[in-house]
């Protein structure tokens, strides 16, 4: 009898574990960040979509290079909040987009730049982030990207005149400037026009045994989330940081 009870408990534990999805992400506020409720709007949307399918989401935060490698190598079921690239698609199943982000340039407010023609920016020092997918139009223009570990470092370098421009998501730049830069730092301004509108996705690992199944489950859950109106309700709850 005791053996039977033990077997039932083990089976129950295995079933519960099988219903948990473990993804990785990096600090990319306000989209994915431990500094915001529910770890940011992207995590909130993903968690709600998985919940539609009876799945529980757990997110482990890592530096971006480790997060991406962990998903590509199958140590995690997937990586949350990334832009599409054909190279990454060789190792990741892409989900339906969670929503689109606006990518472009920040500069010091006391300087003026014409960013309407990308080839005209070839002689400027432009901050980029190591391992991020830059817009195709940026790459095709042959611009001089100087890699840093994250967007916050690029904003600090921009403020210190070590860069002329910094390439990043508009809302990430706004959030970091308001929340993490010292108030005495020179003001940094978004430059119009944007370079590109780029959707954010979950990349599910092709090397993880559940990668393909979880892609399907997530896509079904996201469709249900949009149809029910919960998708827009979640976005409204986060409107103050988006």
């Amino acid at each position: 009898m005791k053996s039977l009870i033990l077997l039932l408990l083990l089976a129950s534990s295995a079933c519960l574990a099988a219903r948990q999805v473990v993804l990785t992400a990096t600090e990319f506020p306000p989209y994915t960040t431990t500094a915001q409720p529910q770890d940011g709007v992207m995590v909130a949307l993903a968690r709600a979509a998985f919940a539609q399918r009876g799945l529980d989401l757990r997110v482990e935060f890592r530096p971006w290079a480790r997060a991406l490698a962990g998903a590509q190598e199958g140590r995690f079921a997937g990586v949350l909040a990334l832009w599409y690239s054909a190279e990454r698609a060789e190792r990741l199943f892409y989900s339906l987009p969670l929503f689109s982000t606006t990518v472009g340039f920040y500069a010091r407010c006391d300087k003026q730049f014409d960013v309407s023609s990308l080839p005209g920016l070839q002689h400027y020092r432009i901050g980029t982030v190591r391992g991020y997918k830059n817009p195709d139009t940026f790459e095709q223009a042959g611009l001089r990207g100087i890699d840093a570990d994250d967007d916050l470092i690029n904003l600090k370098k921009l403020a210190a005149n070590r860069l002329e421009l910094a390439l990043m998501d508009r809302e990430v730049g706004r959030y970091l400037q308001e929340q993490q830069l010292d108030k005495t730092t020179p003001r940094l301004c978004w430059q119009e026009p944007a370079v590109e509108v780029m959707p954010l996705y979950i990349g599910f690992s092709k090397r993880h045994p559940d990668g393909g199944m979880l892609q399907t489950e997530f896509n079904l859950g996201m469709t249900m989330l949009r149809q029910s109106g919960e998708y827009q309700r979640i976005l409204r709850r986060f409107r103050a940081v988006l």
Side-chain angles (χ1 to χ4, degrees):
M1 185 65 177
K2 289 183 179 179
S3 297
L4 177 59
I5 293 173
L6 180 59
L7 286 172
L8 290 172
L9 287 172
L10 289 173
S12 176
S13 297
C15 182
L16 286 173
R19 303 306 291 172
Q20 185 177 70
V21 181
V22 183
L23 301 180
T24 186
T26 198
E27 285 288 334
F28 190 53
Y31 303 118
T32 58
T33 175
T34 56
Q36 286 293 320
Q38 301 180 64
D39 293 334
V41 62
M42 284 280 290
V43 178
L45 287 170
R47 183 171 286 119
F50 279 121
Q52 295 287 326
R53 306 298 298 167
L55 294 164
D56 177 55
L57 174 61
R58 178 164 63 89
V59 177
E60 295 191 10
F61 282 80
R62 298 286 189 275
W64 176 244
R66 288 172 56 194
L68 182 59
Q72 290 178 332
E73 294 165 9
R75 295 195 300 273
F76 295 95
V79 57
L80 188 59
L82 77 169
W83 293 307
Y84 179 85
S85 78
E87 180 183 359
R88 291 174 180 173
E90 293 178 1
R91 304 176 72 179
L92 299 171
F93 298 113
Y94 272 79
S95 71
L96 291 174
L98 280 83
F99 56 83
S100 293
T101 60
T102 303
V103 179
F105 297 112
Y106 272 89
R108 284 180 54 133
C109 297
D110 58 3
K111 298 189 176 183
Q112 294 184 343
F113 296 93
D114 180 3
V115 299
S116 60
S117 174
L118 294 183
L121 307 177
Q122 290 182 352
H123 300 296
Y124 293 131
R125 297 167 297 174
I126 302 173
T128 51
V129 176
R130 187 174 295 105
Y132 279 16
K133 170 65 175 75
N134 296 325
D136 290 337
T137 50
F138 178 92
E139 298 291 355
Q140 291 161 4
L143 299 184
R144 181 186 174 193
I146 301 173
D147 278 349
D149 287 337
D150 58 46
D151 288 309
L152 182 60
I153 291 174
N154 279 334
L155 290 178
K156 290 178 178 178
K157 290 170 68 176
L158 188 62
N161 280 319
R162 293 168 58 197
L163 298 170
E164 280 77 48
L165 298 165
L167 178 73
M168 67 184 65
D169 173 271
R170 181 179 60 197
E171 301 308 319
V172 170
R174 180 183 65 82
Y175 181 92
L176 290 175
Q177 185 171 195
E178 292 177 357
Q179 301 295 326
Q180 297 191 30
L181 285 184
D182 189 276
K183 299 305 180 186
T184 61
T185 301
R187 296 298 297 169
L188 308 173
C189 290
W190 172 256
Q191 306 294 297
E192 289 287 355
V195 175
E196 198 167 318
V197 174
M198 300 171 66
L200 281 173
Y201 303 86
I202 298 175
F204 292 99
S205 177
K206 291 185 177 182
R207 297 187 66 178
H208 191 281
D210 297 328
M213 177 272 291
L214 290 174
Q215 178 203 35
T216 299
E217 289 292 325
F218 175 82
N219 287 346
L220 289 170
M222 179 56 67
T223 300
M224 296 166 65
L225 206 66
R226 288 180 178 275
Q227 291 175 343
S228 69
E230 182 61 18
Y231 176 89
Q232 289 298 332
R233 285 192 286 272
I234 292 172
L235 289 186
R236 284 197 294 271
R237 288 203 298 271
F238 282 87
R239 67 185 180 275
V241 293
L242 287 176

